Amino acid sequence: PKTDIVFLKVHKSASSTVMNILFRFGETHNLTFAFPQGGGFQLYYPHHFLARFVEGFSPQSPQRFNILCHHMRFLQPEVQKVVPSSAVYFSILRNPVQLMESSFVYYKGASAFSRVGSLEEFLSQPYRYYNPASGDRHYARNLITFDFGFNPDGDVSPERVQLMLKAIEASFDFVLISEYFDESMVLLKEMLCWDLDSVVSFPLNTRDSSTKSTLPESAVEKLKAWNRLDWEIYTHFNRTFWARMERDIGRERLRREVRALRARQAELARTCLQGAGSVAAKDIKDSSLRPLQHGGARILGYNLKQGLDRGLERTCRRLVTPELQYSSLLYKKQFPPPPP
Protein backbone atom coordinates (compact mmCIF):
# COMPACT_ATOMS: atom_id res chain seq x y z
CA PRO A 1 0.00 0.00 0.00
CA LYS A 2 1.14 3.52 -0.82
CA THR A 3 1.65 5.63 2.31
CA ASP A 4 3.05 8.93 0.96
CA ILE A 5 0.17 11.04 -0.27
CA VAL A 6 -0.66 14.61 -1.26
CA PHE A 7 -4.39 15.29 -1.48
CA LEU A 8 -5.43 18.69 -2.78
CA LYS A 9 -8.62 19.32 -0.85
CA VAL A 10 -10.74 21.37 -3.25
CA HIS A 11 -13.56 23.18 -1.41
CA LYS A 12 -17.12 21.79 -1.44
CA SER A 13 -16.26 18.66 -3.47
CA ALA A 14 -16.79 15.73 -1.06
CA SER A 15 -13.22 16.41 0.03
CA SER A 16 -14.03 16.18 3.77
CA THR A 17 -15.16 12.59 3.21
CA VAL A 18 -11.90 11.80 1.38
CA MET A 19 -9.96 13.49 4.19
CA ASN A 20 -11.65 11.20 6.72
CA ILE A 21 -10.46 8.20 4.66
CA LEU A 22 -6.88 9.57 4.75
CA PHE A 23 -7.09 10.35 8.48
CA ARG A 24 -8.24 6.80 9.26
CA PHE A 25 -5.61 5.18 7.04
CA GLY A 26 -2.87 7.38 8.49
CA GLU A 27 -3.93 6.68 12.05
CA THR A 28 -4.19 2.92 11.49
CA HIS A 29 -0.72 2.78 9.91
CA ASN A 30 0.97 5.26 12.28
CA LEU A 31 1.74 7.72 9.50
CA THR A 32 2.67 11.38 10.01
CA PHE A 33 0.57 14.30 8.77
CA ALA A 34 1.71 17.72 7.55
CA PHE A 35 -0.41 19.71 10.01
CA PRO A 36 -0.91 23.47 9.86
CA GLN A 37 1.27 25.37 12.37
CA GLY A 38 -0.27 25.44 15.83
CA GLY A 39 -2.81 22.76 14.97
CA GLY A 40 -5.06 24.93 12.80
CA PHE A 41 -7.27 23.49 10.09
CA GLN A 42 -5.98 25.24 6.96
CA LEU A 43 -2.47 25.78 5.64
CA TYR A 44 -2.75 29.60 5.65
CA TYR A 45 -5.36 29.40 2.91
CA PRO A 46 -5.98 31.45 0.73
CA HIS A 47 -2.22 32.16 0.48
CA HIS A 48 -0.20 29.91 -1.81
CA PHE A 49 1.18 27.00 0.21
CA LEU A 50 4.62 27.41 1.79
CA ALA A 51 6.57 24.63 3.52
CA ARG A 52 6.97 26.78 6.64
CA PHE A 53 3.20 26.69 7.20
CA VAL A 54 3.65 23.07 8.35
CA GLU A 55 4.13 22.30 12.05
CA GLY A 56 7.53 20.71 12.67
CA PHE A 57 8.98 21.61 9.26
CA SER A 58 12.49 22.99 9.30
CA PRO A 59 14.67 23.69 6.24
CA GLN A 60 17.66 22.27 8.16
CA SER A 61 16.09 18.91 8.92
CA PRO A 62 15.29 16.46 6.15
CA GLN A 63 12.13 15.26 7.93
CA ARG A 64 9.27 14.53 5.55
CA PHE A 65 5.60 13.88 6.36
CA ASN A 66 3.56 11.01 4.91
CA ILE A 67 0.25 12.74 4.26
CA LEU A 68 -0.55 16.32 3.27
CA CYS A 69 -4.32 16.80 3.08
CA HIS A 70 -5.45 20.02 4.80
CA HIS A 71 -6.88 22.92 2.80
CA MET A 72 -4.17 24.73 0.88
CA ARG A 73 -3.66 26.70 -2.31
CA PHE A 74 -1.41 24.41 -4.32
CA LEU A 75 2.21 25.32 -5.03
CA GLN A 76 4.18 22.22 -5.94
CA PRO A 77 7.80 23.36 -5.34
CA GLU A 78 6.86 24.13 -1.73
CA VAL A 79 4.80 20.96 -1.31
CA GLN A 80 7.81 18.91 -2.44
CA LYS A 81 9.80 20.20 0.54
CA VAL A 82 7.49 18.52 3.07
CA VAL A 83 6.61 15.14 1.47
CA PRO A 84 8.77 12.30 0.13
CA SER A 85 9.56 12.44 -3.58
CA SER A 86 7.64 9.18 -4.02
CA ALA A 87 4.35 10.80 -2.89
CA VAL A 88 1.20 10.17 -4.94
CA TYR A 89 -0.69 13.39 -5.78
CA PHE A 90 -4.44 13.42 -6.29
CA SER A 91 -7.53 15.60 -5.95
CA ILE A 92 -11.31 15.41 -6.35
CA LEU A 93 -13.51 17.74 -8.42
CA ARG A 94 -17.20 18.58 -8.42
CA ASN A 95 -19.40 19.94 -11.19
CA PRO A 96 -18.89 23.75 -10.99
CA VAL A 97 -22.66 24.34 -11.18
CA GLN A 98 -23.36 22.46 -7.94
CA LEU A 99 -20.07 23.68 -6.50
CA MET A 100 -21.05 27.33 -6.86
CA GLU A 101 -24.57 26.72 -5.56
CA SER A 102 -22.98 25.15 -2.48
CA SER A 103 -20.39 27.94 -2.13
CA PHE A 104 -23.10 30.57 -2.27
CA VAL A 105 -24.89 29.07 0.74
CA TYR A 106 -21.75 28.08 2.66
CA TYR A 107 -19.82 31.33 2.09
CA LYS A 108 -22.79 33.69 2.26
CA GLY A 109 -20.63 36.09 4.29
CA ALA A 110 -18.06 36.47 1.47
CA SER A 111 -17.92 40.03 0.12
CA ALA A 112 -19.27 39.08 -3.34
CA PHE A 113 -22.30 37.27 -1.89
CA SER A 114 -23.19 39.24 1.23
CA ARG A 115 -25.22 41.97 -0.49
CA VAL A 116 -27.21 39.75 -2.83
CA GLY A 117 -30.39 37.78 -2.15
CA SER A 118 -29.88 34.83 -4.49
CA LEU A 119 -27.26 33.23 -6.70
CA GLU A 120 -29.39 34.11 -9.75
CA GLU A 121 -29.28 37.77 -8.76
CA PHE A 122 -25.48 37.54 -8.45
CA LEU A 123 -25.13 35.84 -11.86
CA SER A 124 -27.33 38.44 -13.58
CA GLN A 125 -24.73 41.18 -12.87
CA PRO A 126 -21.69 39.57 -11.23
CA TYR A 127 -19.40 42.58 -11.57
CA ARG A 128 -21.83 44.67 -9.58
CA TYR A 129 -21.00 42.52 -6.52
CA TYR A 130 -17.66 40.89 -7.39
CA ASN A 131 -14.42 42.74 -6.76
CA PRO A 132 -11.31 41.03 -8.24
CA ALA A 133 -9.18 42.85 -5.65
CA SER A 134 -10.99 41.52 -2.57
CA GLY A 135 -9.21 38.89 -0.48
CA ASP A 136 -12.13 36.45 -0.53
CA ARG A 137 -13.02 36.76 -4.23
CA HIS A 138 -12.16 33.12 -4.96
CA TYR A 139 -15.30 31.85 -3.18
CA ALA A 140 -17.36 33.55 -5.89
CA ARG A 141 -15.42 32.65 -9.03
CA ASN A 142 -13.43 29.68 -10.35
CA LEU A 143 -12.82 28.19 -6.92
CA ILE A 144 -11.29 25.00 -8.38
CA THR A 145 -8.87 27.06 -10.49
CA PHE A 146 -7.89 29.06 -7.41
CA ASP A 147 -7.31 25.99 -5.19
CA PHE A 148 -5.04 24.50 -7.89
CA GLY A 149 -2.94 27.67 -7.60
CA PHE A 150 -4.06 29.59 -10.71
CA ASN A 151 -5.64 33.00 -11.20
CA PRO A 152 -9.47 32.78 -10.98
CA ASP A 153 -9.75 35.92 -13.11
CA GLY A 154 -7.27 34.58 -15.67
CA ASP A 155 -7.44 34.52 -19.45
CA VAL A 156 -9.85 31.90 -20.85
CA SER A 157 -8.23 31.57 -24.28
CA PRO A 158 -7.84 27.96 -25.51
CA GLU A 159 -4.04 28.30 -25.30
CA ARG A 160 -4.11 29.39 -21.64
CA VAL A 161 -6.63 26.71 -20.74
CA GLN A 162 -4.44 24.04 -22.34
CA LEU A 163 -1.38 25.27 -20.42
CA MET A 164 -3.33 25.10 -17.16
CA LEU A 165 -4.63 21.57 -17.84
CA LYS A 166 -1.14 20.38 -18.79
CA ALA A 167 0.29 21.88 -15.59
CA ILE A 168 -2.31 20.05 -13.48
CA GLU A 169 -1.66 16.79 -15.33
CA ALA A 170 2.07 17.19 -14.79
CA SER A 171 1.59 17.59 -11.01
CA PHE A 172 -1.23 15.16 -10.25
CA ASP A 173 -1.22 11.39 -10.71
CA PHE A 174 -5.01 11.22 -10.96
CA VAL A 175 -8.11 13.31 -10.32
CA LEU A 176 -11.38 11.90 -8.94
CA ILE A 177 -14.94 13.11 -9.61
CA SER A 178 -17.31 13.61 -6.68
CA GLU A 179 -20.50 12.91 -8.69
CA TYR A 180 -19.14 9.37 -9.11
CA PHE A 181 -17.92 9.03 -5.56
CA ASP A 182 -18.10 5.24 -5.23
CA GLU A 183 -16.41 4.74 -8.60
CA SER A 184 -13.77 7.26 -7.48
CA MET A 185 -13.12 5.24 -4.34
CA VAL A 186 -12.62 2.10 -6.44
CA LEU A 187 -10.04 3.99 -8.51
CA LEU A 188 -8.39 5.40 -5.36
CA LYS A 189 -8.11 1.90 -3.89
CA GLU A 190 -6.56 0.69 -7.15
CA MET A 191 -4.06 3.57 -7.46
CA LEU A 192 -2.93 3.34 -3.81
CA CYS A 193 -3.03 -0.50 -3.57
CA TRP A 194 -5.34 -0.29 -0.53
CA ASP A 195 -8.00 -2.74 0.63
CA LEU A 196 -11.76 -2.22 0.52
CA ASP A 197 -12.20 -1.22 4.18
CA SER A 198 -9.64 1.57 3.76
CA VAL A 199 -11.88 3.39 1.26
CA VAL A 200 -15.25 2.79 2.91
CA SER A 201 -16.84 6.00 4.20
CA PHE A 202 -20.01 7.78 5.28
CA PRO A 203 -20.69 11.16 3.62
CA LEU A 204 -19.34 13.96 5.86
CA ASN A 205 -19.91 17.73 5.84
CA THR A 206 -23.08 17.33 3.74
CA ARG A 207 -25.94 19.81 3.77
CA ASP A 208 -29.54 19.30 4.73
CA SER A 209 -31.54 19.32 1.47
CA SER A 210 -33.68 22.21 2.75
CA THR A 211 -30.77 24.58 2.07
CA LYS A 212 -30.18 23.30 -1.49
CA SER A 213 -31.76 24.89 -4.53
CA THR A 214 -31.88 24.10 -8.26
CA LEU A 215 -30.93 26.84 -10.69
CA PRO A 216 -32.95 27.52 -13.85
CA GLU A 217 -31.22 26.64 -17.15
CA SER A 218 -30.58 30.32 -18.00
CA ALA A 219 -28.66 30.81 -14.74
CA VAL A 220 -26.72 27.57 -15.28
CA GLU A 221 -25.39 28.86 -18.62
CA LYS A 222 -24.37 32.16 -17.00
CA LEU A 223 -22.68 30.26 -14.19
CA LYS A 224 -20.66 28.12 -16.63
CA ALA A 225 -19.55 31.25 -18.51
CA TRP A 226 -18.63 33.03 -15.24
CA ASN A 227 -16.69 29.97 -14.02
CA ARG A 228 -15.31 29.10 -17.43
CA LEU A 229 -11.88 28.02 -16.16
CA ASP A 230 -13.45 25.67 -13.59
CA TRP A 231 -15.77 24.28 -16.25
CA GLU A 232 -12.78 23.53 -18.53
CA ILE A 233 -10.88 21.79 -15.70
CA TYR A 234 -13.91 19.75 -14.66
CA THR A 235 -14.94 18.56 -18.14
CA HIS A 236 -11.34 17.65 -19.01
CA PHE A 237 -10.75 15.59 -15.85
CA ASN A 238 -14.19 14.01 -16.01
CA ARG A 239 -13.12 12.66 -19.43
CA THR A 240 -9.70 11.47 -18.25
CA PHE A 241 -11.31 9.85 -15.17
CA TRP A 242 -13.44 7.56 -17.35
CA ALA A 243 -10.59 6.90 -19.77
CA ARG A 244 -8.43 5.76 -16.86
CA MET A 245 -11.30 3.69 -15.47
CA GLU A 246 -11.65 1.84 -18.80
CA ARG A 247 -7.91 1.33 -19.04
CA ASP A 248 -7.03 0.30 -15.48
CA ILE A 249 -10.19 -1.35 -14.16
CA GLY A 250 -12.71 -2.07 -16.93
CA ARG A 251 -16.49 -1.81 -16.68
CA GLU A 252 -17.22 -5.30 -15.45
CA ARG A 253 -14.76 -5.16 -12.58
CA LEU A 254 -15.84 -1.60 -11.75
CA ARG A 255 -19.45 -2.76 -11.37
CA ARG A 256 -18.36 -5.61 -9.10
CA GLU A 257 -16.15 -3.39 -6.95
CA VAL A 258 -18.77 -0.64 -6.59
CA ARG A 259 -21.29 -3.30 -5.54
CA ALA A 260 -18.87 -4.68 -2.94
CA LEU A 261 -18.09 -1.17 -1.63
CA ARG A 262 -21.80 -0.26 -1.29
CA ALA A 263 -22.57 -3.57 0.41
CA ARG A 264 -19.77 -3.01 2.95
CA GLN A 265 -20.94 0.57 3.57
CA ALA A 266 -24.52 -0.59 4.11
CA GLU A 267 -23.29 -3.27 6.51
CA LEU A 268 -21.28 -0.72 8.50
CA ALA A 269 -24.23 1.70 8.54
CA ARG A 270 -26.44 -1.05 10.01
CA THR A 271 -23.75 -1.92 12.54
CA CYS A 272 -22.69 1.60 13.56
CA LEU A 273 -25.49 4.08 13.08
CA GLN A 274 -28.63 4.84 15.01
CA GLY A 275 -31.62 5.34 12.74
CA ALA A 276 -31.49 5.60 8.98
CA GLY A 277 -28.40 7.77 8.53
CA SER A 278 -27.43 11.43 8.84
CA VAL A 279 -29.29 13.81 11.18
CA ALA A 280 -29.32 17.53 11.96
CA ALA A 281 -26.60 18.78 14.33
CA LYS A 282 -29.15 19.55 17.09
CA ASP A 283 -30.17 15.86 17.09
CA ILE A 284 -26.61 14.56 17.59
CA LYS A 285 -26.38 13.43 21.21
CA ASP A 286 -22.57 13.17 21.42
CA SER A 287 -21.22 16.72 21.16
CA SER A 288 -17.81 15.46 19.97
CA LEU A 289 -19.54 14.20 16.80
CA ARG A 290 -21.31 17.49 15.98
CA PRO A 291 -20.00 19.08 12.77
CA LEU A 292 -19.20 22.79 12.57
CA GLN A 293 -22.09 24.81 11.12
CA HIS A 294 -21.10 27.40 8.54
CA GLY A 295 -22.82 30.23 6.64
CA GLY A 296 -26.40 29.44 5.70
CA ALA A 297 -25.72 25.70 5.39
CA ARG A 298 -27.12 23.17 7.83
CA ILE A 299 -24.45 20.49 8.12
CA LEU A 300 -25.55 16.96 9.00
CA GLY A 301 -23.84 14.34 11.16
CA TYR A 302 -24.47 10.96 12.78
CA ASN A 303 -25.48 9.23 16.00
CA LEU A 304 -23.68 6.01 16.90
CA LYS A 305 -25.47 2.99 18.28
CA GLN A 306 -25.06 2.49 22.01
CA GLY A 307 -23.45 -0.61 23.50
CA LEU A 308 -20.97 -1.42 20.71
CA ASP A 309 -17.92 -3.39 21.87
CA ARG A 310 -14.71 -1.37 22.19
CA GLY A 311 -13.03 -2.27 18.91
CA LEU A 312 -16.19 -1.77 16.92
CA GLU A 313 -17.05 1.47 18.70
CA ARG A 314 -13.65 2.84 17.73
CA THR A 315 -14.07 1.83 14.07
CA CYS A 316 -17.55 3.34 13.91
CA ARG A 317 -16.58 6.53 15.75
CA ARG A 318 -13.69 7.20 13.35
CA LEU A 319 -16.05 6.89 10.37
CA VAL A 320 -18.35 9.63 11.66
CA THR A 321 -15.93 11.98 13.45
CA PRO A 322 -16.14 15.41 11.77
CA GLU A 323 -13.03 16.80 10.13
CA LEU A 324 -12.10 19.45 12.74
CA GLN A 325 -12.44 17.10 15.71
CA TYR A 326 -10.51 14.33 13.94
CA SER A 327 -7.76 16.71 12.87
CA SER A 328 -7.33 18.00 16.46
CA LEU A 329 -7.20 14.48 17.80
CA LEU A 330 -4.48 13.39 15.36
CA TYR A 331 -2.54 16.62 15.93
CA LYS A 332 -2.41 15.97 19.69
CA LYS A 333 -1.26 12.42 19.02
CA GLN A 334 1.55 13.56 16.70
CA PHE A 335 2.55 16.58 18.85
CA PRO A 336 1.65 15.61 22.43
CA PRO A 337 1.44 18.64 24.72
CA PRO A 338 4.24 18.79 27.31
CA PRO A 339 3.24 17.35 30.69
CA PRO A 340 2.20 20.07 33.21
Side-chain angles (χ1 to χ4, degrees):
K2 304 244 191 316
T3 53
D4 299 326
I5 294 157
V6 174
F7 171 54
L8 179 63
K9 187 174 187 287
V10 172
H11 286 76
K12 318 292 348 120
S13 304
S15 54
S16 295
T17 309
V18 176
M19 197 175 189
N20 176 273
I21 287 170
L22 296 173
F23 278 168
R24 288 183 349 244
F25 186 86
E27 185 180 22
T28 305
H29 294 83
N30 277 324
L31 304 177
T32 55
F33 290 88
F35 283 108
Q37 280 272 338
F41 302 112
Q42 300 195 342
L43 291 152
Y44 284 80
Y45 186 88
H47 299 284
H48 271 108
F49 176 81
L50 295 174
R52 62 182 169 81
F53 297 164
V54 172
E55 177 83 35
F57 170 78
S58 131
Q60 287 76 40
S61 108
Q63 190 203 355
R64 296 279 196 268
F65 300 90
N66 300 113
I67 299 177
L68 174 60
C69 63
H70 286 73
H71 271 309
M72 63 170 160
R73 189 172 182 209
F74 190 66
L75 186 61
Q76 191 164 17
E78 288 290 317
V79 168
Q80 286 167 332
K81 295 176 185 175
V82 298
V83 295
S85 57
S86 58
V88 177
Y89 288 67
F90 79 100
S91 187
I92 188 165
L93 302 180
R94 182 182 184 186
N95 184 312
V97 177
Q98 283 76 47
L99 175 73
M100 191 171 188
E101 187 274 326
S102 178
S103 265
F104 182 77
V105 176
Y106 205 79
Y107 302 113
K108 191 69 185 79
S111 55
F113 293 151
S114 57
R115 294 179 298 128
V116 40
S118 69
L119 184 51
E120 281 172 75
E121 191 186 329
F122 173 82
L123 290 165
S124 66
Q125 299 174 282
Y127 279 113
R128 192 173 158 193
Y129 308 104
Y130 177 83
N131 174 7
S134 78
D136 61 1
R137 75 192 194 284
H138 51 284
Y139 292 124
R141 186 175 205 190
N142 289 317
L143 184 51
I144 297 171
T145 305
F146 184 86
D147 285 356
F148 273 93
F150 303 100
N151 176 6
D153 296 301
D155 172 15
V156 296
S157 69
E159 299 75 36
R160 286 307 296 255
V161 166
Q162 277 312 308
L163 280 172
M164 181 173 70
L165 296 175
K166 287 212 166 24
I168 296 172
E169 287 196 317
S171 300
F172 287 82
D173 295 288
F174 57 99
V175 175
L176 306 174
I177 301 291
S178 72
E179 282 77 16
Y180 303 102
F181 192 80
D182 293 343
E183 292 82 353
S184 289
M185 291 308 99
V186 169
L187 186 63
L188 183 68
K189 173 169 108 50
E190 180 80 7
M191 302 309 289
L192 299 179
C193 308
W194 288 6
D195 62 6
L196 181 69
D197 269 16
S198 297
V199 298
V200 167
S201 63
F202 296 144
L204 294 175
N205 206 22
T206 55
R207 275 188 300 157
D208 174 3
S209 55
S210 70
T211 61
K212 296 180 183 174
S213 57
T214 310
L215 290 171
E217 203 45 49
S218 57
V220 167
E221 289 313 311
K222 284 180 188 151
L223 190 155
K224 286 182 191 169
W226 175 247
N227 292 296
R228 176 67 190 282
L229 294 171
D230 275 11
W231 187 250
E232 295 283 357
I233 293 174
Y234 176 78
T235 49
H236 175 81
F237 284 103
N238 192 2
R239 265 200 312 276
T240 62
F241 173 79
W242 291 107
R244 166 153 264 170
M245 216 38 127
E246 290 278 330
R247 193 185 74 216
D248 292 352
I249 294 174
R251 286 190 185 187
E252 199 36 58
R253 191 170 132 224
L254 175 64
R255 266 198 293 274
R256 275 202 313 274
E257 298 238 1
V258 165
R259 234 188 350 258
L261 179 66
R262 286 176 181 162
R264 181 67 180 128
Q265 269 161 202
E267 182 191 346
L268 278 165
R270 283 192 301 273
T271 305
C272 296
L273 304 180
Q274 262 183 42
S278 53
V279 294
K282 66 176 174 38
D283 299 323
I284 299 172
K285 301 185 184 58
D286 181 340
S287 61
S288 71
L289 297 179
R290 266 184 220 137
L292 174 77
Q293 303 298 302
H294 202 290
R298 283 201 278 280
I299 306 296
L300 304 172
Y302 299 91
N303 279 314
L304 289 180
K305 276 190 177 155
Q306 299 299 302
L308 298 168
D309 75 54
R310 258 184 75 186
L312 196 53
E313 206 270 349
R314 186 188 156 87
T315 299
C316 293
R317 177 170 288 276
R318 293 296 189 251
L319 277 161
V320 300
T321 298
E323 178 185 324
L324 303 190
Q325 287 93 311
Y326 207 157
S327 185
S328 296
L329 193 132
L330 292 173
Y331 176 79
K332 288 192 189 98
K333 208 169 150 181
Q334 191 168 311
F335 299 103

